[in-house]
Every structure is written in structure tokens, then in C-alpha cells.
Amino acid sequence: PLTHACTARFRCGTFTARPTLGSPMGAATWYAIGNVLSSVAIVLVNKRVFAAGFHFPFTLSFFHFCFTVVFYRLLLACNLFELPSSPMPEADKFKVAFAGVASIGFMNVSLSLNSVGFYQVTKLTIVPVTLLINFYMYTVSTTHKVKLSLLILLAGVGIATVSDVDLRPLGLAFGVLAVLSTAMFQIWQGTKQKEYGMSGTQLQYSVSFYQALSSCGLSLAVESFCLAPQQLDGRGECSDSTMAFLSQWRAGRVPDGIVGTILATCFLALLVNWCSFGLIGKTSPITFQVVGHAKTCLVLIGGDVFFPLAGGA
């Protein structure tokens, strides 16, 4: 048996137990691992979809969110999913959902208008912007040690990924919108879970319908019809839109298995969002961003190890 002194030391925290799978730290670890693996997987599978000619990110996001809605409805019907005890107001659902879809849209537009280097800069600035918003809007402060660690991390990732920074006024405007919408979406993922006492999956279910609605509107406005001359073929017909792709698919002029590949991205998107919502709910948006930069570092290291440049260039 433990002595009185030993027991006292145990109560005072001298001896600490390892995090278990059911503990918050253990759950956060698994969310982080799942987020890394699923994010890498969905990038690879999305590339296959885009390479097949379906390069319509808003429409693909619409499929993902519709799949999420149907998935949770089926779980509810089978009594495998519990609704949150404190319902989230519809205005908050739309606000969080729109911020998420806006983040995807503005990031894509920023990438199309700016250089890859400036796109990486916008991703790096999400961390300090999130810190500022947390401090001024939610009075959440961060220790100087954490700030110094983040500074070193961002500097290292910036040196490794940022090469050319071609800045344009319109691109700068969309870059700022992308950073703000992404920071707010990630902050709300954490604050809304705590405010309404819901889990990451319950929040995901709550906002998925409005995410599908928002992405559907963007898909119809931007990707369903040809809006630019370069989207027309030699005969003057629309060849670069979701409607044109649907016609080609009906005519059998698209690669086999494209529907199955799109369905695979739906499963992966559900897993990515589940891990993201869960990780932010268990930790913070800053931790989520650090995990994201860790993914970038792992991709760079893996590319150097498995695909080295010829001549050591």
C-alpha cells in the first residue's frame, strides 16, 4: 500500500498518468492524426477528380456537404446520432456555414489571382490574425512562449515554402478576405461548440445544410455555365462548366469510375471535417493551424526523400 507521504505527493500531482484514449489530450491526438491522414488523402483523390476533367471545386464541395447531410440523417434514423441538447440558432448556423464556404471560395480565388508564394503568405498570416481576433473579440490571450514558438514555426515554414511573391491589388483584397473568413470560421468552430455544449460532430451536422446551400449557390453562379470566352470550344459551344461535363458524362466521354472517385472524396471530406471540428473543439484554432503547417512540413520532407531532384538541385 502507498504511504501517507506518497499518497499526498500523488494528490499534489508529483506523479502524472499518461493521457488515455478517452482523455481530452488523447482524443485531440487522434483527431490531429486523423486530420493529417485524411487531408493528405483527400488532396490526392481530388487531384484524380480534377485530372479527369471535373475541375469545379464549389460543385465538388456541394457534393461533399450534401453527403454529410444525408449521412447524419441516416445516423439519426438508425438512432446512432444524438442531436445537441441546446439547439443552435439558425442565424448562427448560417453564419458559421457561410464563413466556411467563403473561406474555400476566397482561398481559391486568391490562388488564381496571386502567385503561389503570396498564397502561402496568406496561409501563414492566419495564425497571427486568429490571435488578434481572439484577443480583441474574445479576450483570449496567449503566453509569450507560445507566441515565440509560433514565430519560429511560421518563419521556418515561410522560408521553406515562399519563393516568389507577386502582389496585385485585386489579389490582395481577396487574400485579406480569405484570411479573415478562414480565421473566423475556425474560431467559431471552437466557440460555438463551447457556447451550445455540443460536440464537433453535432456542430458539423448543424451547419452542413447551410454549407450545402451556400456552395450550391456559388456552384450555380460560377461553375454551371460558361462566363468567359476561353470556356468555349472551337465551335463556340460551352465546354468548361458542370453542365458541359454532365453532357459529356452522359455521352460516355469521361474516364470510367469518375462517379466512384467523387463519392470517395465525399467520404474523405466527411472525415476531414469531423477531425477538424473535433480537433478545434478539443484544443484551439491555433493548434489546428500548427497541425496544418506540420502537414506542409511533412509533405516537403516526403517529397525530398521519395522524389529527390536530379543533380541535387
Side-chain angles (χ1 to χ4, degrees):
L2 294 173
T3 63
H4 176 75
C6 183
T7 306
R9 289 172 61 195
F10 184 85
R11 288 199 301 265
C12 291
T14 304
F15 302 114
T16 57
R18 293 182 179 180
T20 62
L21 295 181
S23 68
M25 184 61 68
T29 301
W30 283 111
Y31 279 133
I33 294 173
N35 181 261
V36 171
L37 296 178
S38 59
S39 296
V40 173
I42 197 171
V43 168
L44 297 176
V45 180
N46 278 349
K47 281 187 175 182
R48 291 179 62 92
V49 173
F50 295 150
F54 192 89
H55 43 81
F56 309 108
F58 288 123
T59 305
L60 191 60
S61 297
F62 169 65
F63 292 157
H64 294 167
F65 294 133
C66 286
F67 181 84
T68 301
V69 172
V70 173
F71 177 80
Y72 280 112
R73 292 288 182 183
L74 289 175
L75 290 184
L76 276 174
C78 298
N79 293 322
L80 298 175
F81 177 70
E82 184 179 351
L83 292 174
S85 56
S86 179
M88 189 175 179
E90 298 300 318
D92 278 357
K93 291 181 183 178
F94 178 79
K95 182 172 64 175
V96 176
F98 185 78
V101 175
S103 171
I104 297 172
F106 288 138
M107 278 293 183
N108 285 328
V109 175
S110 175
L111 181 58
S112 66
L113 294 177
N114 300 303
S115 64
V116 176
F118 182 78
Y119 176 74
Q120 285 297 125
V121 170
T122 60
K123 291 177 65 178
L124 292 174
T125 55
I126 293 174
V127 170
V129 169
T130 302
L131 288 174
L132 289 173
I133 293 175
N134 265 330
F135 180 75
Y136 287 105
M137 293 184 61
Y138 298 96
T139 63
V140 176
S141 58
T142 307
T143 64
H144 293 297
K145 289 183 179 180
V146 172
K147 292 177 182 177
L148 180 60
S149 301
L150 290 173
L151 178 62
I152 296 172
L153 170 68
L154 295 178
V157 175
I159 292 171
T161 60
V162 178
S163 53
D164 60 317
V165 181
D166 184 16
L167 184 60
R168 304 171 187 175
L170 184 60
L172 174 62
F174 278 103
V176 171
L177 291 174
V179 171
L180 291 175
S181 58
T182 302
M184 288 307 307
F185 177 56
Q186 293 176 2
I187 289 172
W188 283 336
Q189 285 183 60
T191 58
K192 298 305 178 185
Q193 289 186 52
K194 295 177 175 64
E195 182 178 352
Y196 297 105
M198 58 176 61
S199 65
T201 53
Q202 289 173 332
L203 179 60
Q204 185 182 9
Y205 163 79
S206 299
V207 304
S208 58
F209 172 76
Y210 286 110
Q211 285 180 316
L213 200 62
S214 301
S215 57
C216 177
L218 287 171
S219 171
L220 292 174
V222 178
E223 298 174 343
S224 295
F225 306 97
C226 292
L227 304 176
Q230 57 266 31
Q231 293 179 288
L232 305 178
D233 58 18
R235 296 174 296 177
E237 297 180 357
C238 180
S239 61
D240 189 21
S241 69
T242 54
M243 295 301 178
F245 186 90
L246 182 60
S247 299
Q248 295 171 6
W249 176 69
R250 288 175 175 173
R253 296 198 299 269
V254 298
D256 295 332
I258 183 64
V259 175
T261 308
I262 291 176
L263 184 60
T265 68
C266 292
F267 277 103
L268 289 171
L270 178 68
L271 183 59
V272 169
N273 289 329
W274 179 70
C275 293
S276 299
F277 279 79
L279 178 60
I280 292 176
K282 294 292 184 182
T283 57
S284 70
I286 298 300
T287 303
F288 178 76
Q289 282 296 318
V290 171
V291 171
H293 292 310
K295 286 183 290 187
T296 302
C297 295
L298 289 173
V299 170
L300 290 173
I301 294 171
D304 187 58
V305 171
F306 295 106
F307 305 102
L309 294 176

